[in-house]
Structure formats: C-alpha cells, structure tokens
Amino acid sequence: MVRLDSPPTLSNPPLTYDYDLAISGGGIIGLTLASALNNSGLKVVVIEAKPQSIAAAKGQAYAIHLLSGRIFAGIGVWDKILPQIAHFCHVQLSDADYPQSVNFETNDLGTEVLGYVAEHQALLKPLQDFVSGCPNITYLCPAQVLEAQYQPSGVEISLRVGNEVKTIRTRLIVAADGAKSQIRQAAGINTRGWQYWQSCIVAFVKPEKGHNNTAYEKFWSSGPFAVLPLPGNRCRIVWTAPHAEAKAIVALNDEDFLAELTRRCGAQMGKLELEGDRFVFPVQLMQSDRYVLPRLALVGDAAHCCHPVGGQGLNMGIRDAAALAQVLQQAYSQGEDIGNLAILKRYESWRKQENLTILGFTDLLDRVFSNNFLPVVIIRRIGLLVLRRVPPIKVFALKLMTGLKGRTPEIAQKF
Ligand SMILES: Cc1cc2nc3c(=O)[nH]c(=O)nc-3n(C[C@H](O)[C@H](O)[C@H](O)COP(=O)(O)OP(=O)(O)OC[C@H]3O[C@@H](n4cnc5c(N)ncnc54)[C@H](O)[C@@H]3O)c2cc1C
C-alpha cells in the first residue's frame, strides 16, 4: 500500500538524502528518465517491481516518433535500438473502403523516414543495459515501492527488496508506475477522462507480400485499424472494435480470425499468417489534474493515457521524461532544490498542455471516423480531401503525428 502521509509540518527534522531522486517504475518511461539523467550529477535510484527479463518480455509493440528517436539518440541508446526495429517511409490513411486515401511520404517532411516501429524488448533491454552502466544510477530490480511519506525537505520511501523492507530518503519521487499509478492515487491526485466504448485487439502477422515499410491506418466505423511494419517482414495489427465485437473476434479460431483480419486489411499484402497469440486491451482517455505536487512528479501513463490511434501514448511519455530530466538538471546546476514545487511546475506547464492537445487530437480522430452519420461522413471526407490537396495542412498533421510539433527537449536538439 502506498499512502501520502499527513500534510508536512515544520516540526519534521530535515532529511539526509540517500538519493536526489527516486523513480518508481522501470518501464520504458522510467528508464528513459533515468538514462537522460546520466552524468547529470544527480544521484538517481530506479525501482522496478518486475525482474528485468519479465519486464522486457511484454508482447507489446509501438509506433515510435521521429522526436522519440532523437531523444534516444541524445541519451546514447539509439545505436543499440535502431538495428532491432523497423522504419516506415510511407503512411497511408484511409476512410474504410473509400478509394481516395491520403498518402504521407518522406519528402512531405524532408526526412529520411517518417517513423519507426519497435517491440517492447527492443526498447527496454538497451535502456536496462544503459542504466546498469551509469555510475550515478542505482537500478533496484526487482524491488517494489510500498509507501511514500512526504516531508517538507524530502520523501521517505519504503521498498520491498527480496524479503526485506528498506527505507530510503530522497529529495523527489517520480511516479513512472503506469496508468494505475499507486503513487498518484495515494497522493490524492484526481484524474479526468473516460473508458472508450471500444477495446483494442493486438496481433502479429506475417504477410505474403512485403510490407514495403508502409504504416496503414484505416478508419472503419467500428474503430481505427492499423498495420505497422516490423523487422523480418512481420506486421503489428492494432485493431479497435466495440467491446463485445472485440471479445468475439479474439475468441475466433485462427482461420476465422485471419479471415476477419484480411477483410479489414484488404488485399494489398496478400495472404496473412498469424504469429503468436492475439490479445485484447481496454482503451481509455485519462489526464491527471496535476502532474506535480511538492516532491512528486508524474510521467508517462501515470500522468495520462490516450486512445492507441496514431500511436501517441508511449511517445508522449518519452517526451515527458526528456522534459523532466531537462528541468531537473537545470535546477540542480543552478543549486536549486529539485523537489521544490516551483521547479516542478516548469515541467508541468511544459508538458500538460501539449499532452492535452494530443489527447484531444486522438479523441477527435476516433469520434469523427468511428461514425456512420452522413453529415459526419461528408465532413471527414472533405477533411481528407483538404489533407491531400493543401500541403501546409498535410505537413502540420504529419508534424503532429511524428512528435515534431511542440517544444523540443534540448537532448533531442543535437540531431
Ligand atoms: C493496445 C495498445 C497499443 C498501443 N500502441 C502504442 C503505440 O503504437 N505507440 C505509443 O506511443 N504508445 C502506444 N500505446 C501506449 C503505451 O503502451 C503506453 O503509453 C506505455 O506503455 C506507458 O509506459 P509507462 O512506462 O508509462 O508505463 P508501464 O509500461 O505501465 O510501466 C510501469 C512500470 O512500473 C512498474 N511498477 C508499477 N508499480 C510499481 C511499484 N509500486 N514499485 C515498482 N515498480 C512498479 C511496473 O512493473 C511497470 O514496469 C499503446 C497502448 C495500448 C493499450
């Protein structure tokens, strides 16, 4: 159980610190934050509940934005990640069977690629190896944060490491512990949002024809349907459908599942072969009322969650991590207290509004396209026509989708 202690009183004695900063959660976001603080002078501890190999084995895959790639390059892990992931140079966006698709190409942005697709392990393992080699970072894995007690000068954190319960003292705790963040809940931070009426089916397939480094996003009235290229001519399917339909689809036998899948995919990739199991995930939109409190900051899914359309969730968290690292490093180099609310507010005012824009964008996409109401169909087809014909709008949309809108963290500016 994690709880926020009673409001700090001035009678609490000042703490002596074991670490400057503790990160609860060593998923991709927690480890990105820690890695971005390599050589910062800050003493960091990352606490992850799952053993390294189990955490890395999650069967998830993500579209990775250009900006996220630049952040990883700035950290120094990109050369380990890049050989294990796929890139895409074309994005095809289409409205169900309507023949006029919007095609985004690299020359629209003047970049070599439009994005990447990575399996969880291809991101997490290089980050785990990286933090293990950083002299200023202690990586406690497996270890679990049990409780955080906030005092005016710091945080006392109880941890379970093996059979032992230990207490450590830090200036700041960062919650990178996922959508159900215990740290956020115990601190009494409210969230707003909703569960979608859709669930998301994910699967890996091997198409008969090559994927041609193309990412497809098809908007069916039941929900968005994406095909993302992976190494080894495999593809990741991210398929949203109303809950009951999604449940029925994953329960189909392989042959019937593939027949349904092929119907949504179209014929462009030929016969599909299923690789491994398929899974169904609930989908929600969530934004925390606050990203920071004195001596506490939230990053990644602990702070916000969005619909998987457009592959934004993890990328938003990577930008949170890079932004928070920058704010903390600057404060530390100026001799400021990194747990001070005024410092942490610099991070919140940078990231909260940018994330809200993306949450709104993904929600609008889902609502406008998961809809057969004729006036809405007409409006969205006009919208697609505008995207095809008006280059500045096409470039704006592409920049939004690839993370190139908004403030760029300094760590990504070297590339
Ligand atoms: C179907 C689907 C498809 C998606 N596709 C994409 C995509 O293409 N692109 C994209 O950008 N995003 C995508 N997302 C979103 C993405 O999966 C999440 O945004 C991302 O995984 C969040 O990472 P995180 O590190 O914040 O949280 P998590 O991955 O949940 O990590 C939290 C970590 O904290 C640890 N932890 C929890 N409690 C404690 C504790 N008390 N002590 C110690 N450790 C603890 C957990 O073990 C875990 O390792 C998708 C999501 C879904 C559902």
Side-chain angles (χ1 to χ4, degrees):
M1 208 253 322
V2 181
R3 81 186 152 84
L4 176 71
D5 218 29
S6 52
T9 61
L10 290 175
S11 59
N12 289 121
L15 295 181
T16 51
Y17 304 107
D18 300 300
Y19 302 95
D20 294 302
L21 163 69
I23 302 170
S24 176
I28 294 168
I29 304 309
L31 291 183
T32 301
L33 172 62
S35 306
L37 290 169
N38 179 32
N39 289 332
S40 61
L42 287 161
K43 216 171 151 198
V44 180
V45 59
V46 183
I47 304 139
E48 167 54 46
K50 292 187 197 126
Q52 283 193 36
S53 56
I54 293 178
K58 194 165 161 185
Q60 185 58 289
Y62 316 94
I64 297 297
H65 294 169
L66 293 175
L67 180 60
S68 300
R70 290 174 195 171
I71 290 170
F72 287 135
I75 287 171
V77 285
W78 193 228
D79 59 332
K80 297 282 185 305
I81 292 174
L82 202 50
Q84 303 180 62
I85 69 177
H87 64 270
F88 50 89
C89 301
H90 323 275
V91 176
Q92 191 184 87
L93 213 130
S94 52
D95 184 2
D97 283 333
Y98 188 60
Q100 305 287 322
S101 58
V102 181
N103 295 296
F104 296 99
E105 303 294 339
T106 47
N107 55 12
D108 292 322
L109 265 191
T111 51
E112 281 177 20
V113 303
L114 290 179
Y116 308 89
V117 186
E119 286 171 81
H120 187 76
Q121 176 144 4
L123 295 174
L124 197 73
K125 180 78 176 46
L127 287 166
Q128 288 175 333
D129 293 345
F130 188 85
V131 295
S132 302
C134 295
N136 65 321
I137 300 174
T138 303
Y139 184 22
L140 296 180
C141 179
Q144 193 187 1
V145 172
L146 300 175
E147 185 179 37
Q149 293 189 10
Y150 299 83
Q151 296 181 13
S153 58
V155 194
E156 280 196 345
I157 303 165
S158 303
L159 311 175
R160 180 172 294 119
V161 189
N163 291 330
E164 267 184 80
V165 174
K166 293 184 175 175
T167 302
I168 57 167
R169 292 163 197 85
T170 67
R171 294 174 200 274
L172 172 69
I173 182 165
V174 178
D177 51 351
K180 293 185 181 149
S181 171
Q182 284 180 297
I183 302 278
R184 182 194 68 229
Q185 291 177 33
I189 297 178
N190 288 328
T191 61
R192 285 161 210 255
W194 48 80
Q195 294 288 333
Y196 281 96
W197 52 286
Q198 295 149 319
S199 296
C200 188
I201 304 160
V202 292
F204 291 101
V205 295
K206 204 168 172 103
E208 182 186 19
K209 299 179 191 165
H211 54 51
N212 192 28
N213 297 99
T214 303
Y216 297 93
E217 185 87 64
K218 267 191 187 201
F219 292 98
W220 293 101
S221 57
S222 52
F225 175 92
V227 184
L228 304 171
L230 279 169
N233 194 36
R234 293 177 308 134
C235 292
R236 174 67 158 178
I237 305 292
V238 186
W239 176 0
T240 33
H243 298 307
E245 191 182 329
K247 232 170 130 184
I249 290 169
V250 278
L252 291 172
N253 63 40
D254 286 1
E255 198 184 327
D256 293 341
F257 180 80
L258 277 172
E260 279 295 323
L261 191 59
T262 309
R263 216 159 59 78
R264 296 322 192 271
C265 245
Q268 72 266 26
M269 288 194 288
K271 200 163 172 275
L272 303 175
E273 203 180 296
L274 202 53
E275 288 222 326
D277 282 337
R278 57 258 182 187
F279 297 96
V280 67
F281 292 92
V283 182
Q284 63 165 329
L285 182 144
M286 183 276 277
Q287 170 84 317
S288 298
D289 280 356
R290 315 182 61 159
Y291 283 14
V292 298
L293 280 176
R295 311 225 163 262
L296 167 65
L298 312 180
V299 289
D301 275 21
H304 47 73
C305 296
C306 67
H307 195 287
V309 62
Q312 300 287 334
L314 184 80
N315 291 283
M316 287 155 68
I318 292 168
R319 297 207 284 282
D320 293 346
L324 182 59
Q326 183 175 320
V327 166
L328 297 181
Q329 197 159 357
Q330 278 168 359
Y332 176 73
S333 65
Q334 288 159 13
E336 295 172 306
D337 175 1
I338 61 164
N340 187 299
L341 185 62
I343 308 290
L344 299 173
K345 284 260 180 198
R346 294 176 196 160
Y347 157 69
E348 183 182 70
S349 56
W350 179 349
R351 292 300 307 150
K352 197 166 168 228
Q353 186 55 45
E354 282 194 16
N355 287 336
L356 190 63
T357 306
I358 300 290
L359 296 189
F361 171 68
T362 52
D363 189 59
L364 184 76
L365 272 182
D366 186 53
R367 280 175 200 277
V368 168
F369 282 92
S370 307
N371 201 316
N372 267 338
F373 184 49
L374 190 61
V376 178
V377 175
I378 293 169
I379 290 169
R380 75 179 184 231
R381 295 213 168 144
I382 294 172
L384 289 178
L385 184 76
V386 170
L387 265 184
R388 275 204 311 276
R389 296 279 170 81
V390 185
I393 293 190
K394 192 177 185 190
V395 171
F396 177 88
L398 200 48
K399 283 191 170 172
L400 197 64
M401 288 191 306
T402 51
L404 300 181
K405 277 264 153 234
R407 184 172 156 198
T408 305
E410 280 171 12
I411 202 164
Q413 287 174 14
K414 307 177 204 164
F415 299 89

